[in-house]
Amino acid sequence: MSDSVKGTAVVTGASTGMGALYAARLARMGYDLIIVARNHNRLNQMASHITADSERNVEVVAADLNDPQQLAALEVKLRNDASITLLVNNAGMGTHTQLVDSNVEQMTSMINLNVIALTRLTYAVVPGFVKRGRGAIINIGSIVGIVPEVLNGVYGGSKANVLAFTRSLHRELADKGIQVQAVLPSATATPFWDNGGLPLSQLDPGIVMQAEDMVNAALVGFQRGELITIPSLHDENRLQQWEQARQAIIEDFSHNVPAARYRPSSKV
Ligand code: NAP
């Protein structure tokens, strides 16, 4: 059980990239940590480093979130550890390959990690948050959740799910004292690119954000109470205009007759 006033933050995918930076930053902010990924050695190194730096407690959970039993074990921890106050659903994988060139089993693994694991971990943690009237969830999406034409469409679809799911969580949980945030990074310098088969060196450096800048900015967005944080979007008005347009079209979605343009012609 954590003795931290902030409580315990669970960070998935904390062995490298953004997750490792989230873990280090959250410890400095006063959270104890449960850090999750497959690479046990790397997590242990992270834990020693973070404890030396921040003196916070760090628990290491080596788990493959694509393995149903290992995922279920983490769900049990999320359900039962009342010190948990923050879940950062960061673990994810991606690729740039075209749909027709992609292996469907790899695509299924990607959906399992990016969507199913994120959903199940959220389901596990939310009832305790509701009971205690306190908690927060940070879901790492991507700008390709809005622009699935970039990179691989299954990856884009999985990140669209993260955004839609987070919006819905916000609607259901905001009045129960629970904060949710969808973070939509653009291209960020992490092992993600090399792991996904497109070396980072092949990207235009002008569009690649440093991972530290991304995480620091996303945490400012979290502290601002933002539902959607896009660190690389410079003009905030554009996000507001997009939301206004979305709300306006929603008002016109529900009618009991089809639109005039869909009236069958008398010849049909
Ligand atoms: P990364 O450095 O490759 O980190 C991915 C993390 O997920 C690693 O810690 C990895 O650790 C863990 N992971 C992968 N498969 C796992 C599994 N089956 N079970 C448990 N953990 C697993 O990439 P990143 O860029 O930091 O990615 C973090 C998030 O940002 C992802 O959701 C990604 O989709 C999103 N994102 C990245 C970018 C970008 O340009 N980098 C842009 C937009 C969104 P192990 O290998 O030790 O398991």
Side-chain angles (χ1 to χ4, degrees), residues 13 24 30 76 94 98 112 114 117 120 133 141 153 164 171 175 208 211 233 246:
V76 169
Q98 302 268 306
N112 281 337
N114 296 4
R120 291 194 66 100
R171 185 181 61 80
D175 67 354
V208 180
L233 178 70
R246 201 179 73 91

Side-chain angles (χ1 to χ4, degrees), residues 72-92:
L74 182 58
E75 289 173 47
V76 169
K77 189 177 272 299
L78 284 165
R79 266 195 292 276
N80 295 337
D81 185 341
S83 76
I84 295 172
T85 53
L86 172 63
L87 170 63
V88 184
N89 275 313
N90 164 77

Side-chain angles (χ1 to χ4, degrees), residues 16-232:
T16 58
M18 298 182 205
L21 289 161
Y22 260 108
R25 279 297 315 274
L26 290 169
R28 284 198 171 183
M29 288 163 65
Y31 288 90
D32 286 332
L33 293 174
I34 297 173
I35 55 175
V36 184
R38 292 167 301 183
N39 188 326
H40 205 159
N41 288 340
R42 181 91 189 108
L43 287 177
N44 281 337
Q45 284 168 12
M46 288 272 313
S48 312
H49 177 74
I50 291 172
T51 310
D53 177 63
S54 65
E55 298 182 356
R56 296 307 334 163
N57 297 319
V58 184
E59 183 182 348
V60 164
V61 175
D64 181 347
L65 299 179
N66 266 336
D67 178 310
Q69 284 177 348
Q70 295 179 43
L71 177 60
L74 182 58
E75 289 173 47
V76 169
K77 189 177 272 299
L78 284 165
R79 266 195 292 276
N80 295 337
D81 185 341
S83 76
I84 295 172
T85 53
L86 172 63
L87 170 63
V88 184
N89 275 313
N90 164 77
M93 58 181 281
T95 178
H96 70 288
T97 46
Q98 302 268 306
L99 284 189
V100 285
D101 299 327
S102 307
N103 174 305
V104 72
E105 302 306 332
Q106 281 174 357
M107 297 297 101
T108 306
S109 287
M110 185 154 68
I111 294 167
N112 281 337
L113 180 62
N114 296 4
V115 178
I116 304 294
L118 178 146
T119 305
R120 291 194 66 100
L121 295 178
T122 303
Y123 259 83
V125 86
V126 160
F129 283 176
V130 171
K131 198 167 135 198
R132 298 187 288 278
R134 177 188 183 200
I137 300 167
I138 298 173
N139 289 330
I140 308 299
S142 166
I143 57 159
V144 303
I146 301 174
V147 198
E149 297 88 343
V150 181
L151 302 183
N152 168 280
V154 176
Y155 179 63
S158 74
K159 294 301 186 179
N161 177 285
V162 172
L163 179 57
F165 184 54
T166 309
R167 280 190 199 276
S168 175
L169 286 172
H170 173 69
R171 185 181 61 80
E172 293 194 16
L173 300 176
D175 67 354
K176 296 180 172 61
I178 298 163
Q179 182 184 355
V180 296
Q181 180 196 24
V183 176
L184 278 53
S186 58
T188 306
T190 71
F192 170 90
W193 291 94
D194 288 349
N195 292 342
L198 178 61
L200 194 58
S201 56
Q202 290 184 17
L203 299 186
D204 170 2
I207 65 158
V208 180
M209 190 175 288
Q210 292 307 304
E212 201 158 11
D213 291 338
M214 200 317 285
V215 171
N216 287 343
L219 283 168
V220 172
F222 181 67
Q223 282 158 343
R224 291 178 84 200
E226 292 181 355
L227 169 57
I228 299 172
T229 297
I230 308 179
S232 61

